[in-house]
Amino acid sequence: MANKPNWRAIKIHRSYTVDEASRALGVCKPTVRRWLKSGKLPVIDSQRPALILGSELIAFLNVRRKPKQRLRIDQCLCFSCKVPRSAAGRMAELVHASVSTFNVCMLCEACERPIYRRYSARQIATLGEKLSLSASEAIRHLIEAAHPCLNVHFETGGQDIGKAPSEE
């Protein structure tokens, strides 16, 4: 079953039974019955089967829906705290992601876990006014690393672990 009912699956000019509404929304039948019993979701009449107008069902779901949170430019959503947080120490690390975007890594001010957000190149100047940014260059190829770890040892001498068998 779905976490959130998909209100876009409901047609405005159609009436639904409890079973049809639960299947269209991706929720259990007892959930729809609980909505009806609470009185917040009106039915057409008190007879069975209970019929629900599509427009009433959409209106009910829109009232229940939480409003989206808009983050400030210097905030990221911390998945541990489940709230928008600013960077600890007002510092962030900037990593070039593509031609026009950057990945920014900050530490959550409450739990001090890393939080990430992607910014466009236009937003970086505004972010730089609010936070101290340090840029780090992403390693493009493994061979460019100072000490690449390939997890395979093909060196001569020592053990022959990971060596390809020689064809004779």
Side-chain angles (χ1 to χ4, degrees):
M1 293 293 153
N3 285 339
K4 296 178 185 175
N6 183 10
W7 62 271
R8 290 181 182 94
I10 301 297
K11 308 293 184 239
I12 295 174
H13 301 294
R14 185 168 173 221
S15 58
Y16 292 88
T17 63
V18 171
D19 184 46
E20 292 170 340
S22 67
R23 275 191 274 134
L25 294 172
V27 297
C28 297
K29 285 191 262 184
T31 302
V32 178
R33 288 190 188 110
R34 196 174 340 110
W35 293 341
L36 292 171
K37 192 174 182 180
S38 70
K40 295 178 182 175
L41 180 61
V43 293
I44 294 176
D45 56 14
S46 60
Q47 296 179 354
R48 291 188 184 252
L51 293 176
I52 308 160
L53 286 175
S55 58
E56 295 289 335
L57 188 53
I58 290 173
F60 169 76
L61 292 172
N62 285 337
V63 167
R64 290 185 70 241
R65 196 169 34 178
K66 292 180 182 176
K68 289 186 178 180
Q69 291 182 341
R70 295 290 294 172
L71 298 176
R72 294 191 323 250
I73 189 95
D74 62 335
Q75 287 183 327
C76 290
L77 182 67
C78 179
F79 290 113
S80 299
C81 302
K82 296 182 174 57
V83 291
R85 298 281 186 189
S86 295
R90 302 184 51 77
M91 296 183 296
E93 185 176 350
L94 191 67
V95 178
H96 187 75
S98 69
V99 176
S100 61
T101 61
F102 292 88
N103 291 328
V104 175
C105 177
M106 316 176 194
L107 291 179
C108 175
E109 62 187 353
C111 66
E112 296 185 359
R113 291 191 178 169
I115 50 179
Y116 301 91
R117 185 170 171 188
R118 184 168 283 205
Y119 290 92
S120 68
R122 294 180 318 188
Q123 295 172 317
I124 293 299
T126 311
L127 184 65
E129 295 170 2
K130 301 200 179 252
L131 299 176
S132 171
L133 296 175
S134 64
S136 67
E137 187 64 35
I139 298 173
R140 296 194 186 271
H141 300 286
L142 186 61
I143 199 71
E144 294 174 8
H147 301 287
C149 177
L150 302 176
N151 292 334
V152 178
H153 305 284
F154 286 112
E155 298 177 15
T156 57
Q159 296 180 352
D160 292 327
I161 298 174
K163 274 193 171 180
S166 59
E167 294 181 23
E168 294 176 12

